[in-house]
Each structure stands twice: as structure tokens, then as C-alpha cells.
Amino acid sequence: MTMNTRKTAIVSCYFQPNYGSMLQALATQMALDRLGYDNETICIDGLKKEIRLAKMRYFAGASLTSDILLSKAGMAMARVRRKLLKGTYTRMMQERLQAFSDFEHKCFRMSEAYGSRAELTQACADKYSAVLVGSDQLWLPANIAADYYTLSFVPESINTISYATSFGQAQLPRSSERAAMRFLPGIKHISVREKTGQKIVSRLTGRRVPIVADPTLLFDGEEWKSVQQEEPLIKGDYIFCYFLGNNPKHRDFAVRLADETRCKIAAIPHVDEYVSSDETYADETPWSVGPDAFLNLIRHAQWVLTDSYHCTAFSMQYEKKFFTFRRYHRKTRQSTNSRLDTLLEQCGVSERLLTGEEEISACRDLMIDYEDVRSRISRLRKYSWNFLKDALEDKEETDLNKFYSPSRDTHDFSQGDAQTRLDGES
């Protein structure tokens, strides 16, 4: 059967009102379109309740030291605040959620809504030649417990692919490890987004899998103009701040940089949770910002300050002067810092990672060699496209070994050669 007679299904987190989640889901759809594969994103409207209950059961027994759990608690409190309080915050958050909803309905090509796992399994057998999961932190422990992004519902006869999927943390709890040891061997073609994910897969399954680009990096800044307006949303010179965490030092750094550069501060306030300091430090706080407007705000900024993986990625796509801050400072096994470390290392700009305590004078003139960054992203992009092509064509072998590399020409990927060896291995 040829690749165009049946569809490729995408399993992604397209529905979350989160800029990175929605844009990486769109980028995955765009990538399959470019490669000529008829595709649709699986609509999980009929499965959301089942998935939500499984995740709630996981969180009920999770460690309170988990960075992920603490961030989810902040998001839950934000939802409570929206429901209980009246006034500007609630009204403006509803406007933002509507902007996400509008973008979702405009940009995504959706399947019918499947009402059960059994129905979804049957649809895989009837409609799809392949099912692809990715990218983002879809293999977080709670998502593993929900058992949707694991592709366990897909019949063995159907090609299964993980593209740039992330575990979101450096180490999994024992229960999640046991579950991963069951579902990972069933995914035929696996790629991950971070070195820590590569190590987890290797340790649990013995498979050596490639690190590939986040799907948003498969397209350059010029190509991303197609989903945003041309004119800047904010006039004049500004520092764009996009902070998910509640870290006053990061916002203080923005204020100090604004004083030094005479730029105003434009910030999206209260992204994951209500943050009191978001009320005071910025000059402009646009609320009704969908993913398309988010890209516009990065593209036209003089500076970008963020603790976000995807905001960092797009800052480099648009060759901005940027600094990235760690959202979490505790070095726990649940730390999500690896994704930022890997991205900045891949692009040769690890010095852009700050704490927020640095002197502005020491940072302001720290230059970025964007010729080198472009070259590194180009090599990573080429390598990643080749893996995706091979996986969709269901090549016999896409795990890393001496016989296989997804580069169809010479192997020219350079990020400490993370693809051909794991840390500590020769």
C-alpha cells in the first residue's frame, strides 16, 4: 500500500493552551505535509475524561518534591482563581483562552472524535498506515500513567514513530520506569529531544536512539511568518519577557536591562499561574495572545528574556539577543532543565543561560555568533528530516548502530556527537 492511500495519525498535545505545545503540534503537522503524507491529528475529545482521571490518580500519589507536580499545583490554583474571582484577571484570561481556541480551530486538521480506546484501536487498523507521537514532554510520568502518548492502543501491524518526544525530566519514578519498559519496545522508530531521554531509553530498553530537533526547529524563522501577521503588535523598541515560573529575580533582571537599554518591557502575564510581580514590572502586558501573536512578539523584539524552551528556540530562529533562565533551581531527579541545556549546547550558546543575578554590564555586550548558530541548526535540521523520512518509510532500522545513521550523505551532525555515542560511552 503506498504512503498516500492511508493517513498518518499524529498524537500530540494540540489542545493545551500553551504556546510551545500548540506550536510544536502544528510543526509536526507541517512537517508531514511537506513530506507529502496525508495526515490528521487524533481528536481526543472523547478520551479526555479517561486521560484526566488517570493523571489525577498519578498526582494523588506523587512526591510533593516533584517540580512538575509543583508547577501543576500552580496551574490548578490559577484555574480556581479564574472560576472564583471576577474582574480583570478572569476576563482577560478568558480572552487568552479564546485566542488559543481560535488558533486551534484555524490551524489543525483533526480526526473524528473517538469515544474509547477500543474505537481508536479499530480506527488505527482501518485508517492509518502509521501513528506518530511527538513532541514536547509527552512522556512525563503522569502522561505515562494515562497511557495515551505511549501508543499502547496501536495494533502491532501499524508503524509507530516517536518524533522528538521528551520525558521532561532526568529520571523517572520506579512505577513510570516499569511502564516505560513495557511500552517503549512497542514503538518501532524512536527519537528523543534531549540527552537525558536518550539515556533513559538506553538504560530501560538497551536501544540507542537519536536525538533530533524539536519540530518547531524544522522550519526557519522566515517559514514561520506564514502563521503570523507581518506588522508588529507592539510599536517601538521593547524587551519581550515570557516567564512561566514565579521567579522575581528574572523579572528584576528585565527591569535592570530596560533601564540600561532604554527599551520598554512587554510581557505576557500570568502564563502558567497567577504571579503577583507580573502586575508591576512590565510597561505593556498584552493578554489576548494566541500562538501566532506569540511568534510576532518574539520576532519584533529587541531582546527576549525567558525561562521557556520554545521561546528560546524561536528567539534563535529570529536571531534575537536573548537570555534564558532556569525555571527550576533544585537539582532533583524530576528536574526539567535538561531540555534547555541540550538546546543551548546544540546551538553553541550555553553562555546565554543565566540565573538572574548577573550584572547587566557583563551581559549586555555578550554577542551571539548567529552564523555559527544557523549552521548548527541547519545540520540538526537536516539530520532530523532524514530520521523522520526514514521512520515514515518504515525503514528496517532507525536505532543508532554502526550500520545506520539517518544522514543520507555524510554524517555531519556536530553537538558533541551525541548521536553516535552516549555520555560516558566510547
Side-chain angles (χ1 to χ4, degrees):
M1 190 166 287
T2 64
M3 71 176 184
N4 287 321
T5 58
R6 302 179 77 183
K7 293 183 178 180
T8 298
I10 300 171
V11 172
S12 69
C13 201
Y14 68 91
F15 53 88
Q16 287 285 9
N18 173 288
Y19 299 105
S21 295
M22 206 166 272
L23 287 167
Q24 63 80 24
L26 177 61
T28 304
Q29 178 179 287
M30 290 163 58
L32 295 186
D33 288 348
R34 174 165 294 185
L35 293 175
Y37 284 84
D38 189 10
N39 67 88
E40 63 187 17
T41 296
I42 292 179
C43 175
I44 67 163
D45 286 354
L47 302 170
K48 279 184 179 178
K49 183 177 180 181
E50 176 186 338
I51 293 171
R52 188 180 299 115
L53 286 173
K55 292 173 73 170
M56 288 173 63
R57 284 194 295 270
Y58 169 79
F59 284 127
S63 167
L64 290 175
T65 62
S66 166
D67 285 330
I68 296 295
L69 183 57
L70 291 174
S71 69
K72 295 296 183 184
M75 293 167 68
M77 287 303 297
R79 285 194 292 270
V80 171
R81 180 183 289 268
R82 288 200 301 270
K83 290 181 179 180
L84 296 182
L85 299 181
K86 304 298 181 183
T88 301
Y89 174 78
T90 300
R91 185 177 68 255
M92 300 305 280
M93 286 301 295
Q94 290 302 322
E95 288 187 14
R96 184 181 300 166
L97 292 173
Q98 186 60 52
F100 275 103
S101 179
D102 292 344
F103 186 85
E104 176 188 334
H105 288 99
K106 178 178 69 174
C107 293
F108 288 100
R109 193 164 48 249
M110 304 302 302
S111 74
E112 62 186 280
Y114 301 113
S116 67
R117 288 176 64 89
E119 196 175 312
L120 181 54
T121 298
Q122 187 60 51
C124 290
D126 294 342
K127 293 178 59 178
Y128 303 129
S129 58
V131 181
L132 182 152
V133 63
S135 114
D136 218 10
Q137 300 177 79
L138 299 184
W139 289 342
L140 284 168
N143 285 334
I144 291 175
D147 201 25
Y148 171 65
Y149 301 109
T150 61
L151 303 190
S152 60
F153 58 85
V154 182
E156 289 186 11
S157 59
I158 305 301
N159 184 21
T160 46
I161 303 163
S162 156
Y163 183 79
T165 314
S166 172
F167 291 92
Q169 53 193 62
Q171 188 175 338
L172 297 175
R174 288 297 303 163
S175 61
S176 301
E177 285 190 344
R178 289 191 293 269
M181 290 173 71
R182 292 191 296 270
F183 81 79
L184 287 171
I187 300 177
K188 188 168 185 181
H189 305 285
I190 295 179
S191 63
V192 293
R193 197 177 64 180
E194 295 104 18
K195 288 182 179 180
T196 52
Q198 191 183 53
K199 290 180 179 180
I200 289 171
V201 174
S202 177
R203 183 168 58 82
L204 297 182
T205 70
R207 296 173 64 174
R208 299 176 63 244
V209 299
I211 300 170
V212 295
D214 184 271
T216 59
L217 290 171
L218 293 175
F219 303 92
D220 63 27
E222 189 70 22
E223 290 169 307
W224 277 109
K225 287 182 181 179
S226 64
V227 299
Q228 60 181 290
Q229 72 174 51
E230 180 65 28
E231 292 301 310
L233 293 171
I234 292 181
K235 306 299 182 184
D237 293 344
Y238 63 91
I239 300 165
F240 176 54
C241 293
Y242 179 67
F243 296 128
L244 291 87
N246 185 357
N247 294 292
K249 285 190 298 185
H250 302 167
R251 292 156 175 84
D252 177 66
F253 184 94
V255 172
R256 291 187 288 121
L257 181 62
D259 288 342
E260 184 77 15
T261 61
R262 299 186 182 278
C263 291
K264 60 186 174 183
I265 296 174
I268 301 178
H270 315 304
V271 179
D272 267 1
E273 58 184 296
Y274 180 86
V275 178
S276 58
S277 55
D278 278 356
E279 298 284 350
T280 56
Y281 82 103
D283 301 293
E284 297 196 30
T285 54
W287 282 82
S288 184
V289 176
D292 46 353
F294 173 74
L295 293 178
N296 184 282
L297 290 170
I298 296 171
R299 177 182 161 207
H300 292 288
Q302 295 297 308
W303 293 80
V304 178
L305 305 180
T306 187
D307 58 6
S308 153
Y309 176 95
H310 284 102
C311 189
T312 299
F314 281 111
S315 295
M316 288 188 286
Q317 294 279 58
Y318 285 116
E319 301 191 2
K320 296 288 126 181
K321 294 178 286 187
F322 77 95
F323 287 112
T324 300
F325 304 86
R326 291 195 188 280
R327 185 179 177 190
Y328 303 113
H329 296 287
R330 298 179 303 114
K331 294 183 179 180
T332 64
R333 69 179 187 175
Q334 295 91 358
S335 171
T336 65
N337 292 327
S338 174
R339 52 185 170 158
L340 286 173
D341 294 334
T342 297
L343 176 64
L344 294 172
E345 181 183 340
Q346 284 172 333
C347 297
V349 289
S350 296
E351 73 281 358
R352 310 306 294 188
L353 188 62
L354 303 184
T355 67
E357 297 177 338
E358 292 81 1
E359 292 294 328
I360 298 298
S361 58
C363 299
R364 180 180 175 181
D365 297 325
L366 191 61
M367 302 301 293
I368 303 173
D369 182 355
Y370 268 116
E371 183 175 352
D372 180 61
V373 172
R374 284 196 302 274
S375 177
R376 287 170 177 263
I377 292 178
S378 177
R379 292 195 297 270
L380 175 57
R381 186 180 289 136
K382 176 183 176 182
Y383 185 94
S384 303
W385 276 113
N386 285 333
F387 168 83
L388 186 56
K389 291 174 187 175
D390 288 348
L392 288 164
E393 291 170 12
D394 200 12
K395 291 292 181 72
E396 187 64 27
E397 179 65 78
T398 53
D399 287 359
L400 294 172
N401 57 46
K402 63 182 179 181
F403 304 111
Y404 173 79
S405 167
S407 280
R408 299 179 180 206
D409 301 314
T410 58
H411 181 80
D412 60 359
F413 182 73
S414 61
Q415 52 151 328
D417 204 21
Q419 306 306 330
T420 54
R421 61 177 170 79
L422 299 176
D423 285 355
E425 292 184 329
S426 58

